[in-house]
Amino acid sequence: MKSICFSAILILIAATLSLPAADAKSERRTPDGKWRPGDMARPRPPVITPSNWGSDEKPAPPPSDALVLFDGTSLAKWKSDAKKADAPADDTAKWKVESGYVEIVPKTGGIRTREKFAGDHQWHIEWATPVEVKGNSQGRGNSGVFIGGLPEVQVLDSFDNDTYPDGQASALYNQHPPYVNASRKPGQWQTYDIIVERAKLDDKGQVTQKARLTVIHNGVIVHHARELETKVQEGDLSLQDHGNPVRFRNIWLRKLNSDGAANTPAPAPKQ
Ligand code: MG
């Protein structure tokens, strides 16, 4: 009896060892645990028409306390994201600056700010996908906004262009679809305001408040205080070259003053 049991155990072990290793990629799930990243079966967010906020031919001037990263004239604050081997001596950004905007030159690589920014910020970025509609799904007007340590905020022509919901415009790529699809037509200027609150850490580096990300697309909230696992405290901004000539303009950030560091004292009471 004992030897039969022992044989059965051996057979069981052999069978387990011969099983193919679980495919780690196919086991991945989005943060809600319900979907595979890029799942076409996921329900689509409702399509809405946003107001015309930020869509004018000329952008609105940045607020007075903003640090301007691109004002439509120069990429001096940016460098090329191409691999070093591609450009050993020259790291200047290779995208095309036109009057008031910059256009991706496909296959030159993404661009990245030379500076990194620590702490909590509001980031403002305006973008437009090509007027001439080419390709579909992820192949139409694809770019992306990467703020250091955070998931990609997808840039895509999502006007009448179906794709997986966690990869459409303003999705947190492969994680969260936007609450609504607030996309404008191809060629029209669109805005992102991305509010980044970095994780708050105690003296031992333990998280006391998770990082939070809020995204406003064309004046409409599409993610509100999404909690993220990252402990990263600073980051640069990079824009993706996904092979489509997407345009950007009016890029700035402003510190949130969430720690009250720049507060001024209340005025003295009137006599
Ligand atoms: Mg992208």
Side-chain angles (χ1 to χ4, degrees), residues 30 34-44 163-166 174:
T30 51
K34 292 183 189 165
W35 306 97
R36 288 192 179 84
D39 200 329
M40 284 298 282
R42 197 168 182 166
R44 274 52 173 167
T163 191
Y164 42 91
D166 61 15
N174 271 186

Side-chain angles (χ1 to χ4, degrees), residues 120 255-265:
D120 301 342
K255 220 167 176 2
L256 289 193
N257 192 28
S258 43
D259 57 3
N263 290 353
T264 50

Side-chain angles (χ1 to χ4, degrees), residues 30 32 35 42-45 164-180 222-223 226:
T30 51
D32 61 8
W35 306 97
R42 197 168 182 166
R44 274 52 173 167
Y164 42 91
D166 61 15
Q168 70 180 69
S170 78
L172 305 184
Y173 193 78
N174 271 186
Q175 294 191 21
H176 297 285
Y179 297 158
V180 291
V222 292
H223 302 280
R226 293 269 195 212

Side-chain angles (χ1 to χ4, degrees), residues 23-52:
D23 180 347
K25 208 173 170 187
S26 70
E27 296 298 316
R28 282 172 57 212
R29 288 289 184 275
T30 51
D32 61 8
K34 292 183 189 165
W35 306 97
R36 288 192 179 84
D39 200 329
M40 284 298 282
R42 197 168 182 166
R44 274 52 173 167
V47 176
I48 67 150
T49 304
S51 76
N52 63 358

